[in-house]
Amino acid sequence: MTGPDATETATTLLIADDDEVTRTGLRMLLAAQPGIEVVGEAADGVEVVEQARRLRPDVVLMDVRMPRRDGIEATRRLLAGTDGPAGAGGGPAPAPPKVVVITTFENDDHVTAALSAGASGFVLKRLPVRQIAEAVRVVAAGEAILFPATLRRMVAVRPLDSAEALPRAALTGREEEVLRLMATGLSNPEIAECLTVSLETVKTHVGNVLTKLGAQNRTHAVVIAYESGLVVPGFTG
């Protein structure tokens, strides 16, 4: 992964964490990273929704264990547009921000629930700040952050209701194949090379998979694949 060119528009970021020291530290460190503009902070899950409505960041860096409203419900509300404003002149509301969960423990079942609610990925608080910044930029660009082995362990501990989405989805054989390859962490170009098809064909299949599963994004679709048993431990593509 590489950072944006200096001439590109910066990715705007809202940081949500109930610990003031952590929040302040993240703001200072991330604001110094190229291509990142920190536009605000929130101390809990109620405030982050309010701030996101006012500031309209590209990405929210979301802690999951917060008072008043946890990061799971805050993610769900942000991505569903709950509490959000209408667009100018009564038009459609602006697109919701992408959500990146930030957590201390990678096996936290709250993280799995946030991914199932539509977060685009997660990062660990102990990672170097440049990696956290890169994750923010990647998600802002419309990609997902996948850690297949970690996701598999997390889902194995705590299956969620979205597992039922796969049996109802009636995916074609090729769509299931694409979903399995997505679950290994392959990008669209890598899937196209693996299947010997065009990139546009892969994009079509991925779009169909997301639509049929009712998945918020690529990461959510992969969580469903693990929960449903379509992808099993040891699968590598």
Side-chain angles (χ1 to χ4, degrees), residues 113-156:
L115 294 175
S116 192
S120 294
F122 71 96
V123 293
L124 300 176
K125 291 182 180 180
R126 65 175 180 267
L127 287 176
V129 67
R130 61 180 176 75
Q131 292 186 26
I132 297 174
E134 182 67 357
V136 169
R137 290 190 290 260
V138 166
V139 165
E143 299 295 332
I145 309 167
L146 292 176
F147 302 97
T150 301
L151 272 178
R152 183 170 60 242
R153 289 195 300 272
M154 292 163 63
V155 171

Side-chain angles (χ1 to χ4, degrees), residues 179-233:
L179 179 54
R180 286 191 179 95
L181 293 173
M182 288 165 56
T184 68
L186 294 185
S187 65
N188 285 354
E190 290 168 334
I191 293 173
E193 182 178 357
C194 182
L195 298 179
T196 320
V197 297
S198 71
L199 179 58
E200 289 305 313
T201 296
V202 172
K203 289 180 178 179
T204 298
H205 287 315
V206 171
N208 289 343
V209 167
L210 298 186
T211 298
K212 289 183 177 182
L213 293 180
Q216 292 274 3
N217 52 46
R218 195 182 187 96
T219 304
H220 188 194
V222 170
V223 169
I224 293 171
Y226 280 126
E227 292 173 349
S228 305
L230 178 67
V231 178
V232 298

